[in-house]
Amino acid sequence: EIKHKIMIDISVISVTKDNLEGLKRTWSSLISQDINLDTIEWIVKDGVSRDGTIEFLKEVEQKGILKNFRWVSGSDQSLYDAMNIAMTMMSGRYAQFLNAGDYYHSANVLSRTIAIMHEYDYQDAPTFFYGDDLVENIDGNFVLRRARDIGYLWHSLPCSHQAIFYNTAHIGDVRYDVKYRICADYQFTYEIYKTNYHGYRLLNYIVPIFVAGGHALQQRLKLCQEAYDIKKESSDIPMIMRSFSFAAGYANNVMMHHVPWLYNVHRRLM
């Protein structure tokens, strides 16, 4: 009897360090998806946690619920360096970065997404599939962020990093630039867009829910400065647009964390 190998549709990459409860939440959400779990893989990069994470990962491995499960624990330079390390282990047609604590909005997110992906031949499929996201602020309020057109990349990501499925055939040699501590996800996505873009498909539903940490004033300014520097390095975005983007990005960040109702109004109008 000839057994046909099941292709891995999505590599779900999770980076964690000392966030056992968050990782368990992500794991539970992943295995609750209404799909054949053999069609996905879960790759975990742990930063040498000391809170029981390693023991949990060994337990997941032993249970064998996910046939395609790989993990590694070791030191890294940063969150984005850890993502680069994890990417060397992926074998799926598409990659999604869903870190410890992030989880899916519903049990059919992946089945709906894979069905849409299968409308295309893999090599000719869009570079990005992405949808809406729901942000859980530290005060317990939820903010719905509708995904935008890909042209929004001149300013920022059109959705959260966690809401994007990247066509791995189009990633090529692009990696996260670790000199950016906050905005390397924007740099990574924009670099793929500039070098090997083959279109996008908007998913008209919420993909992830993730908890947003509180950002102090200094951190918000650093976030906006990094985004400005990425645009400057790209050399194709004029200074006046970079400056406008800096100011708008800062204002949006403040609104989302402190005046969520106003942020929601703003997102609906813009």
Side-chain angles (χ1 to χ4, degrees):
E1 181 183 355
I2 299 176
K3 292 186 177 181
H4 296 283
K5 183 179 178 181
I6 297 177
M7 294 298 297
I8 295 174
D9 286 303
I10 300 173
S11 299
V12 180
I13 294 173
S14 300
V15 169
T16 188
K17 183 175 182 181
D18 293 322
N19 188 6
L20 176 58
E21 292 310 310
L23 189 65
K24 285 182 176 179
R25 189 183 202 182
T26 303
W27 157 251
S28 177
S29 178
L30 184 62
I31 64 171
S32 297
Q33 292 294 297
D34 62 350
I35 56 171
N36 177 354
L37 293 176
D38 289 352
T39 63
I40 63 172
E41 66 179 358
W42 192 34
I43 299 170
V44 178
K45 168 62 179 74
D46 172 64
V48 196
S49 294
R50 304 187 185 280
D51 64 346
T53 292
I54 293 175
E55 290 73 18
F56 170 70
L57 292 172
K58 289 178 179 178
E59 183 182 328
V60 169
E61 197 169 40
Q62 289 169 359
K63 285 182 177 178
I65 296 174
L66 269 181
K67 184 176 74 174
N68 306 307
F69 170 59
R70 290 190 291 282
W71 66 279
V72 62
S73 183
S75 59
D76 50 66
Q77 298 178 46
S78 64
L79 169 74
Y80 295 114
D81 184 43
M83 289 181 181
N84 285 337
I85 293 169
M87 285 173 65
T88 65
M89 304 166 64
M90 68 184 184
S91 58
R93 295 179 174 186
Y94 304 91
Q96 181 194 22
F97 298 87
L98 196 72
N99 291 330
D102 302 334
Y103 56 105
Y104 294 107
H105 178 255
S106 61
N108 65 354
V109 167
L110 291 187
S111 61
R112 293 176 72 181
T113 303
I114 290 171
I116 293 170
M117 289 171 172
H118 284 181
E119 295 176 9
Y120 304 87
D121 178 75
Y122 168 52
Q123 296 295 333
D124 298 324
T127 302
F128 310 115
F129 291 81
Y130 62 81
D132 305 331
D133 56 75
L134 201 60
V135 183
E136 182 180 354
N137 281 329
I138 55 175
D139 59 6
N141 287 315
F142 287 87
V143 178
L144 173 62
R145 302 197 305 180
R146 295 292 185 190
R148 299 175 182 266
D149 181 88
I150 194 66
Y152 191 71
L153 265 175
W154 77 267
H155 169 59
S156 182
L157 288 175
C159 60
S160 74
H161 185 217
Q162 297 93 325
I164 304 174
F165 298 87
Y166 297 84
N167 188 323
T168 55
H170 301 164
I171 292 175
D173 296 328
V174 178
R175 293 296 181 266
Y176 295 93
D177 191 333
V178 297
K179 73 183 177 186
Y180 298 114
R181 307 290 293 186
I182 304 175
C183 290
D185 51 356
Y186 174 56
Q187 164 269 322
F188 176 72
T189 306
Y190 193 61
E191 190 67 25
I192 295 170
Y193 176 73
K194 287 199 305 177
T195 58
N196 202 13
Y197 177 62
H198 295 272
Y200 78 102
R201 176 71 180 264
L202 188 62
L203 309 174
N204 294 309
Y205 47 86
I206 300 170
V207 176
I209 300 175
F210 67 97
V211 179
H215 295 293
L217 172 63
Q218 222 173 9
Q219 191 80 339
R220 290 195 190 104
L221 289 172
K222 182 171 175 57
L223 183 151
C224 295
Q225 184 62 56
E226 282 195 2
Y228 181 92
D229 292 341
I230 291 165
K231 296 177 184 72
K232 185 177 180 180
E233 284 194 6
S234 76
S235 75
D236 59 352
I237 299 176
M239 185 180 71
I240 189 170
M241 293 179 69
R242 297 197 304 266
S243 300
F244 172 80
S245 178
F246 182 101
Y250 180 77
N252 284 344
N253 191 278
V254 171
M255 275 194 294
M256 186 177 75
H257 289 286
H258 296 287
V259 198
W261 67 267
L262 182 59
Y263 179 83
N264 284 330
V265 171
H266 167 73
R267 291 286 293 198
R268 284 196 295 268
L269 294 176
M270 295 296 287

